[in-house]
């Protein structure tokens, strides 16, 4: 009905509204599996990419995307400690919102989204993206819901996968691990698998990761 439409992916957390954009090509190769970039920063914003200490990283290196500009929120209402945690403030008073999203700038100026800072862990010297494990588990034909959390142990973080199945039956742990080995590097295979009828949700119907971490 609308010939020759253009499709643009608009990215940004609520605190910044939309802060980057990327135009999706009109034709996508059927064999493409890589995600497209989140694109360039919108014209009314400025951006920085910083390390965990808040220092700028070289272009092309991964770091946390920070945004400043007219569309950024002024702050969280009556939460001064959280405001202090999420804003970097320059000597000139410029306030940069720390999005919590880890990105890397590509040679063409577009940013590639690598994951959430709070969903990345280091295990045996490797960077592990918990959402990537979840995506692999969702590729299993019998999995209805999947959630992955990391809990601290003396020998390092343990990766725990929580699953609900389409027919409500438990899956073979051996078969699950064999499936994961085909989909993921060995160091990303979950340490444990647990089955629930329904995964716990927040008031906004998102996976309640904190509740899962507290399960025995």
């Amino acid at each position: 009905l609308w010939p020759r439409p253009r499709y643009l992916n608009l990215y940004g957390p609520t605190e910044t509204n939309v802060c980057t954009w990327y135009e999706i090509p009109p034709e996508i190769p059927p064999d493409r599996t890589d995600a497209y970039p989140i694109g360039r920063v919108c014209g009314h914003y400025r951006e920085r990419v910083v390390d965990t200490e808040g220092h700028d990283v070289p272009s092309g290196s991964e770091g946390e995307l920070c945004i400043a500009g007219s569309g950024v929120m002024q702050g969280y209402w009556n939460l001064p400690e959280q405001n202090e945690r999420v804003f970097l403030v320059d000597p000139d008073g410029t306030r940069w919102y720390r999005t919590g999203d880890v990105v890397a700038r590509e040679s063409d100026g577009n940013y590639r989204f690598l994951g959430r800072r709070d969903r990345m862990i280091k295990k045996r010297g490797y960077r592990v993206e918990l959402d990537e494990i979840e995506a692999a588990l969702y590729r299993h034909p019998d999995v209805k819901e999947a959630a992955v959390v990391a809990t601290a142990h003396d020998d390092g973080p343990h990766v725990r996968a929580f699953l609900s199945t389409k027919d409500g039956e438990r899956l073979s742990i051996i078969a699950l691990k064999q499936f994961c080995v085909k989909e993921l590097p060995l160091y990303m295979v979950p340490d444990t698998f647990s089955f629930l009828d329904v995964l716990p949700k927040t008031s906004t119907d998102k996976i309640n990761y904190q509740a899962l971490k507290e399960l025995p």
Side-chain angles (χ1 to χ4, degrees):
L1 295 177
W2 189 4
R4 299 178 299 280
R6 296 172 62 193
Y7 295 99
L8 293 97
N9 179 47
L10 306 178
Y11 150 88
T14 301
E15 291 85 351
T16 69
N17 200 353
V18 171
C19 62
T20 72
W21 64 276
Y22 183 81
E23 183 163 1
I24 304 298
E27 294 187 11
I28 299 175
D31 59 345
R32 181 184 176 97
T33 58
D34 292 340
Y36 281 104
I38 58 173
R40 300 171 182 268
V41 171
C42 300
H44 60 297
Y45 284 118
R46 288 184 291 156
E47 81 271 22
R48 294 171 60 187
V49 179
V50 302
D51 59 21
T52 55
E53 303 299 321
H55 302 133
D56 294 317
V57 302
S59 182
S61 299
E62 66 178 60
E64 183 180 2
L65 179 64
C66 300
I67 297 292
S70 59
V72 177
M73 68 165 186
Q74 295 183 29
Y76 297 110
W77 182 259
N78 284 338
L79 295 174
E81 293 181 358
Q82 189 169 348
N83 287 329
E84 186 175 351
R85 185 170 63 251
V86 301
F87 281 103
L88 289 175
V89 183
D90 286 345
D92 65 1
T94 302
R95 301 166 78 245
W96 300 87
Y97 176 73
R98 306 185 68 145
T99 64
D101 293 327
V102 179
V103 301
R105 186 172 185 174
E106 300 183 329
S107 57
D108 60 1
N110 288 305
Y111 283 101
R112 181 169 296 278
F113 175 80
L114 301 177
R116 289 286 301 167
R117 184 183 61 182
D118 56 3
R119 296 285 290 158
M120 288 184 176
I121 63 169
K122 275 289 186 71
K123 184 176 182 182
R124 300 172 193 161
Y126 294 99
R127 187 187 73 180
V128 175
E129 171 53 61
L130 301 179
D131 290 334
E132 188 174 342
I133 303 175
E134 282 186 10
L137 291 170
Y138 270 111
R139 291 194 285 271
H140 192 290
D142 296 322
V143 169
K144 180 182 179 181
E145 288 184 307
V148 177
V149 300
T151 54
H153 288 261
D154 293 339
D155 58 348
H158 281 202
V159 175
R160 305 177 63 191
F162 293 87
L163 305 169
S164 68
T165 59
K166 295 176 181 178
D167 60 7
E169 299 295 325
R170 292 172 60 93
L171 303 176
S172 162
I173 300 299
I174 294 176
L176 263 177
K177 289 200 171 187
Q178 290 173 339
F179 174 83
C180 288
V181 167
K182 295 178 182 178
E183 299 286 330
L184 298 164
L186 188 59
Y187 61 84
M188 293 181 69
V189 175
D191 297 296
T192 62
F193 296 86
S194 300
F195 295 91
L196 301 172
D197 293 334
V198 178
L199 299 190
K201 305 294 195 308
T202 65
S203 59
T204 56
D205 203 36
K206 295 181 180 180
I207 297 293
N208 191 332
Y209 290 104
Q210 189 57 43
L212 290 174
K213 287 182 179 181
E214 294 172 359
L215 291 178

